[in-house]
Amino acid sequence: MTVLNDLYNITLVKRAISPVAMVATAVVSQIIDRKGFEAVMFAIATGALPDADATFTISMRHGDTANLSDGAAVTSADLIGTLAGGSFQFDDDNECRRVGYKGSKRYVEMT
């Protein structure tokens, strides 16, 4: 049997944050279990951003417990890309950003 090593066969796509209207409070993703995978990539699609002066910054936490009760901020050494590269502002309508995690912890979430 041939195993294909293409993007389709080596990735698992999960919903982290459902599409939502812009809110004034932080939106926290689902906790992603990376068991069986070396890395996680969060893809961020902005849609239309109506506020004329908003800035959206990304942060991440990681840990070894399923509820992230041991969660700690992810350092730049554990990232693929940068948190700044995943962030966006009011005039970034209908754009996509991404930031990855390659650290050693099993669980990760993005805010």
Side-chain angles (χ1 to χ4, degrees):
M1 178 198 278
T2 302
V3 176
L4 297 176
N5 203 15
D6 56 63
L7 192 58
Y8 181 87
N9 287 291
I10 63 171
T11 59
L12 174 65
V13 177
K14 292 186 173 188
R15 175 187 50 84
I17 299 174
S18 295
V20 294
M22 190 173 67
V23 294
T25 59
V27 177
V28 181
S29 77
Q30 306 246 348
I31 296 171
I32 304 300
D33 182 353
R34 54 177 288 241
K35 183 178 181 180
F37 293 89
E38 294 179 17
V40 171
M41 183 189 73
F42 289 97
I44 304 145
T46 62
L49 302 169
D51 197 327
D53 62 356
T55 299
F56 303 87
T57 57
I58 305 301
S59 64
M60 268 192 228
R61 291 185 332 133
H62 62 166
D64 287 319
T65 59
N67 66 358
L68 276 184
S69 59
D70 65 339
V74 172
T75 65
S76 60
D78 290 328
L79 294 174
I80 303 168
T82 64
L83 294 174
S87 300
F88 53 96
Q89 63 183 24
F90 63 93
D91 58 351
D92 291 325
D93 291 329
N94 302 307
E95 293 186 8
C96 294
R97 302 281 191 270
R98 65 183 176 174
V99 63
Y101 173 80
K102 63 180 180 177
S104 62
K105 302 296 184 181
R106 179 167 170 180
Y107 301 95
V108 63
E109 73 179 5
M110 179 184 70
T111 301

